[in-house]
Amino acid sequence: TKQDYEKAAAYLDSADTDITSQYFGVAKGKNVILVNLESTQQFVIGRKVKGEEITPFMNSLIEDSFYFDQIYHQTAQGKTSDAEFMFDQSFYPLASGSVYVRRPENEYIAMPEILAKSGYQSASFHGNVGSFWNREKAYDAFGYDRFFSKDAYQVSDENSVNYGIKDEAFLNQSMPYLEDLKQPFYSKFLLLTNHFPFLLDEEDVLLDEADTGLEVVDRYFQTVRYEDEALKEFFSELKRSGLYENSIIVLIGDHYGISENYYDGIASYLDEDLSVPQELDLQQVPLIIHVPGQEGETFHSPGGQIDIQPTILHLLGVDTADYPNFGQDLLALERDPFVVFRDGDFVTEEVIYTAQLCYDKASTKQTNMNRCSPYFEKRNKELYYSDAILNGDLLRFAD
Ligand code: GP9
Ligand code: MN
């Protein structure tokens, strides 16, 4: 009911989701190119295998970009679709299933619709079939103008592996479509090659195999290295086309690639046993935002995927105070970081709550529960109101 919506809206008004930063509006009118880095985890950034960097391109990009080294994925069963949903709507994913599949008929106030008010066109690009994760229907609900899916690409045996067209061919073939879009645009690219079980053709292997004792982990470093190379080529194409200077480019990982079944491989690679809070920190994904004309800066505060939408909108100079969202502007230094996971775990600047225990964030040692318990109520409200809005289709009552 309308009353239910008003309760949720009152909660969102009281939560500090509207704080902006000194960067508000620095990218006003620029295009947005968001690249979803399939299964890419933060721990590969800056690391090496057999003396070679796993992500040489991203490592160099970080030098002149905003880089966030403590961003957690908050996805649940909806995997990529949960991540996308957070980027666009800044709500929590559902406890089970994907919003894309379960709630495509809902009313939303998502990034494409918000940006349309500033004259933006929106497009999503993805090499898999358009029906996967019910994207065709969900994108209609979110207000996308265009969806370039498998049918829009020339896919052959040579240019495919695993789930479909390889990232290099995908990004390459996307360029003419991107250049044809009316500017300014909001565009989203969903990569595919770095997906379990991490397969590559021989010619795409650019990194020696690690020897962690688990082949899945060994191959993972190689597919991430391939993805990094595909990004490098994409960036040169963006420069060639002139879009680079007119766009903010957001690179973000969607969720883990290495599941807990293979943690032994990561432990062997890192050469240490993984503690419980370290396992939670493995849920961190890279976030790199390149803004033309801005110097590089690294931000160490915790944040989540739910924060992407307000961060981007504020860079574009769009005030989010009138839009229902649960995230915070990651560039706002006075914000109170609070990352809530679908299973009830959470992270603040001081503590990590996971597996029903409280840990000191700095030392990763277990600490007294009374440092975590003050956050329980807010955690519950976050998930409760997000669910209430989604399950009750309450955004139809927003004006
Ligand atoms: C498939 C791609 C990968 O279209 O989104 O799906 P995932 O398994 O990561 O959700
Ligand atoms: Mn994914």
Side-chain angles (χ1 to χ4, degrees):
T1 65
K2 176 134 182 112
Q3 240 172 358
D4 293 329
Y5 178 69
E6 272 154 13
K7 259 193 245 165
Y11 168 73
L12 286 175
D13 281 344
S14 72
D16 41 279
T17 54
D18 304 328
I19 316 173
T20 63
S21 78
Q22 55 168 315
Y23 298 105
F24 187 88
V26 295
K28 201 174 171 60
K30 295 254 187 281
N31 306 308
V32 180
I33 300 172
L34 185 150
V35 184
N36 181 59
L37 309 173
E38 180 57 44
S39 302
T40 306
Q41 295 175 232
Q42 158 72 21
F43 82 95
V44 297
I45 302 290
R47 280 222 169 77
K48 294 182 174 174
V49 166
K50 307 243 166 99
E52 300 288 331
E53 289 174 289
I54 303 166
T55 58
F57 174 69
M58 284 192 267
N59 296 345
S60 68
L61 181 66
I62 283 167
E63 300 292 316
D64 71 335
S65 303
F66 295 148
Y67 172 53
F68 305 82
D69 64 2
Q70 284 204 47
I71 303 303
Y72 295 81
H73 88 77
Q74 294 163 294
T75 65
Q77 291 172 355
K79 306 296 305 264
T80 312
S81 70
D82 280 352
E84 285 187 63
F85 174 63
M86 283 184 271
F87 304 154
D88 283 341
Q89 180 65 62
S90 187
F91 276 41
Y92 294 93
L94 292 172
S96 73
S98 161
V99 174
Y100 276 34
V101 178
R102 298 222 155 159
R103 291 271 155 204
E105 314 288 339
N106 273 12
E107 188 64 38
Y108 293 98
I109 307 175
M111 197 97 100
E113 181 181 335
I114 295 171
L115 285 174
K117 293 183 185 150
S118 308
Y120 280 69
Q121 206 188 1
S122 296
S124 178
F125 299 78
H126 183 45
N128 202 349
V129 290
S131 56
F132 203 95
W133 282 128
N134 204 28
R135 282 189 175 99
E136 274 157 353
K137 292 214 177 71
Y139 285 167
D140 281 343
F142 299 133
Y144 278 90
D145 300 302
R146 307 290 304 272
F147 178 26
F148 300 93
S149 62
K150 187 175 180 185
D151 291 344
Y153 296 88
Q154 277 173 330
V155 187
S156 62
D157 272 355
E158 287 73 54
N159 73 9
S160 321
V161 69
N162 203 3
Y163 265 75
I165 186 168
K166 298 179 195 177
D167 291 343
E168 286 184 4
F170 163 67
L171 291 171
N172 230 320
Q173 292 186 31
S174 297
M175 274 313 289
Y177 296 131
L178 188 66
E179 288 180 87
D180 268 358
L181 291 182
K182 194 167 72 62
Q183 298 186 47
F185 56 73
Y186 166 57
S187 64
K188 180 164 72 174
F189 291 82
L190 307 172
L191 301 184
L192 204 47
T193 308
N194 185 44
H195 192 289
F196 188 87
F198 312 112
L199 307 176
L200 277 186
D201 289 328
E202 199 51 46
E203 76 227 40
D204 299 316
V205 174
L206 301 166
L207 186 71
D208 279 349
E209 208 167 321
D211 27 48
T212 66
L214 286 175
E215 283 175 18
V216 163
V217 180
D218 294 349
R219 286 200 302 269
Y220 179 70
F221 296 122
Q222 296 179 309
T223 49
V224 171
R225 176 66 185 84
Y226 169 81
E227 175 184 83
D228 187 77
E229 194 68 17
L231 289 170
K232 181 181 168 182
E233 286 174 25
F234 185 49
F235 272 66
S236 0
E237 281 299 291
L238 292 173
K239 285 182 181 162
R240 179 201 50 76
S241 68
L243 287 170
Y244 184 75
E245 287 305 320
N246 279 323
S247 309
I248 65 168
I249 308 175
V250 182
L251 306 185
I252 178 144
D254 58 354
H255 48 72
Y256 64 80
I258 306 295
S259 72
E260 54 195 2
N261 302 338
Y262 304 99
Y263 279 175
D264 284 352
I266 299 185
S268 145
Y269 170 73
L270 298 175
D271 201 18
E272 56 183 334
D273 291 335
L274 299 177
S275 65
V276 175
Q278 252 177 316
E279 290 183 2
L280 189 77
D281 279 351
L282 278 180
Q283 308 314 311
Q284 289 172 352
V285 291
L287 170 60
I288 303 171
I289 305 181
H290 184 268
V291 182
Q294 295 295 318
E295 273 174 36
E297 197 174 335
T298 297
F299 300 85
H300 302 292
S301 286
Q305 290 169 322
I306 212 163
D307 302 318
I308 299 300
Q309 189 234 45
T311 306
I312 294 176
L313 288 173
H314 288 175
L315 281 167
L316 300 178
V318 177
D319 192 352
T320 53
D322 291 337
Y323 301 118
N325 58 11
F326 286 82
Q328 297 179 320
D329 183 341
L330 293 168
L331 291 160
L333 300 178
E334 68 276 33
R335 77 194 171 92
D336 237 343
F338 188 50
V339 186
V340 178
F341 300 94
R342 189 60 249 193
D343 62 4
D345 287 357
F346 57 83
V347 175
T348 74
E349 202 102 67
E350 307 289 331
V351 294
I352 293 175
Y353 176 80
T354 185
Q356 293 172 55
L357 293 172
C358 191
Y359 295 87
D360 179 74
K361 188 161 191 313
S363 70
T364 73
K365 298 262 181 295
Q366 203 186 321
T367 185
N368 199 307
M369 188 57 77
N370 65 20
R371 292 182 61 205
C372 283
S373 48
Y375 297 100
F376 289 172
E377 192 188 339
K378 178 156 166 73
R379 180 234 11 222
N380 295 345
K381 281 187 176 164
E382 289 279 307
L383 296 171
Y384 173 83
Y385 284 117
S386 178
D387 286 348
I389 294 175
L390 293 176
N391 292 326
D393 188 13
L394 298 183
L395 290 179
R396 70 205 140 104
F397 300 112
D399 22 60

